[in-house]
Amino acid sequence: MKKALITGISGFVGSHLAEFLTKEGIKVFGIAHPDYSKINLKDIEKKITVFSCNLLEKRGLEQTIMKIGPVDYVFHLAAFSSPALSFQNPKETLENNVISELNLLEILKDHKSSSKILIVGSADEYGEISGNKSSIDELTPLNPGSPYAVSKVAQDLLAQQYFTHFGLKIIRVRPFNHIGPRQSAIFVVPAFASQIAKLEKSNGGVLKVGNLN
């Protein structure tokens, strides 16, 4: 049976990925921050193995990875994920996103991992696109517009270095907007959806949307 490790498994994307992999017959291990809720995993908690660990603490992370043992796939999803909130916590955003990935890649390198590793960047790395370009591709210059976006560029390029210099089997992606159940209401679509649901139950009211410009 193939095995996978998901960092940030209790989050929006991590929990959906865990469900998908278990249905595919893959044994799933996860790492969740000890301070974060694991409510998203309630339907599959008996089918997976989850370890509480702060990725900023390298020694604890290494001990956790050694307990899990070699895996076929590593999905690195753990991150501070809000561009808007990153302006309020720039230092925390950069430390959390960059150092956590650095710790993970260092450990995988030191243990000569042969896992296929997915490093998740963001379309926010491209920022504002100049000119009349109606679509972008991987050759579009990066232009991060928030501390979050800067942290994702750093993650992206750090992953490239560990692929180039240490031979880790890394794939880098820059996903665009994705939405769905369990996504935090700090993001626009779930914020609207949760308000609409409440308004329907209370027979109307005001939908707060912020600046739509």
Side-chain angles (χ1 to χ4, degrees), residues 6 9 11-26 28 38-45 47-48 77 181-182:
I6 304 172
I9 192 171
F12 159 52
V13 178
S15 60
H16 284 287
L17 177 60
E19 289 178 355
F20 171 78
L21 294 178
T22 55
K23 290 177 182 177
E24 292 294 306
I26 295 173
V28 174
K38 300 179 181 63
I39 189 65
N40 288 339
L41 303 172
K42 60 183 177 61
D43 292 335
I44 58 168
E45 59 185 354
K47 299 178 181 179
I48 61 178
L77 303 180
R182 305 178 207 146

Side-chain angles (χ1 to χ4, degrees), residues 58-69:
K58 186 179 178 182
R59 184 175 179 182
L61 177 59
E62 185 168 22
Q63 291 173 342
T64 298
I65 289 177
M66 290 178 68
K67 288 178 184 176
I68 295 169

Side-chain angles (χ1 to χ4, degrees), residues 18-210:
E19 289 178 355
F20 171 78
L21 294 178
T22 55
K23 290 177 182 177
E24 292 294 306
I26 295 173
K27 186 172 180 57
V28 174
F29 297 87
I31 294 177
H33 195 285
D35 295 338
Y36 296 169
S37 170
K38 300 179 181 63
I39 189 65
N40 288 339
L41 303 172
K42 60 183 177 61
D43 292 335
I44 58 168
E45 59 185 354
K46 294 181 180 179
K47 299 178 181 179
I48 61 178
T49 303
V50 179
F51 294 87
S52 293
C53 180
N54 184 344
L55 272 64
L56 293 177
E57 298 174 0
K58 186 179 178 182
R59 184 175 179 182
L61 177 59
E62 185 168 22
Q63 291 173 342
T64 298
I65 289 177
M66 290 178 68
K67 288 178 184 176
I68 295 169
V71 296
D72 299 279
Y73 311 107
V74 176
F75 299 91
H76 181 45
L77 303 180
F80 187 106
S81 58
S82 171
L85 292 180
S86 73
F87 285 103
Q88 301 174 27
N89 302 288
K91 182 174 182 287
E92 179 184 354
T93 299
L94 288 163
E95 287 181 345
N96 185 76
N97 292 0
V98 180
I99 302 303
S100 62
E101 182 183 301
L102 176 63
N103 287 342
L104 177 65
L105 294 181
E106 274 287 292
I107 293 165
L108 294 174
K109 172 193 66 121
D110 291 345
H111 288 267
K112 304 187 186 310
S113 173
S114 61
S115 304
K116 291 182 179 179
I117 305 162
L118 183 72
I119 297 298
V120 180
S122 170
D124 212 36
E125 295 177 51
Y126 296 112
E128 293 292 330
I129 307 300
S130 60
N132 297 319
K133 217 168 163 121
S134 60
S135 63
I136 61 178
D137 58 25
E138 290 85 352
L139 299 180
T140 301
L142 302 182
N143 183 31
S146 68
Y148 164 78
V150 170
S151 75
K152 282 298 176 180
V153 170
Q155 283 190 263
D156 195 329
L157 298 181
L158 185 63
Q160 182 185 29
Q161 296 306 308
Y162 276 76
F163 167 81
T164 302
H165 295 290
F166 302 115
L168 290 181
K169 298 177 181 178
I170 292 174
I171 298 170
R172 299 176 291 149
V173 293
R174 297 170 187 159
F176 284 71
N177 289 352
H178 44 280
I179 61 174
R182 305 178 207 146
Q183 188 174 24
S184 170
I186 65 173
F187 296 96
V188 63
V189 173
F192 289 178
S194 62
Q195 288 186 73
I196 291 169
K198 291 176 182 177
L199 292 174
E200 287 180 339
K201 289 182 178 180
S202 61
N203 296 317
V206 178
L207 180 66
K208 299 179 180 179
V209 298

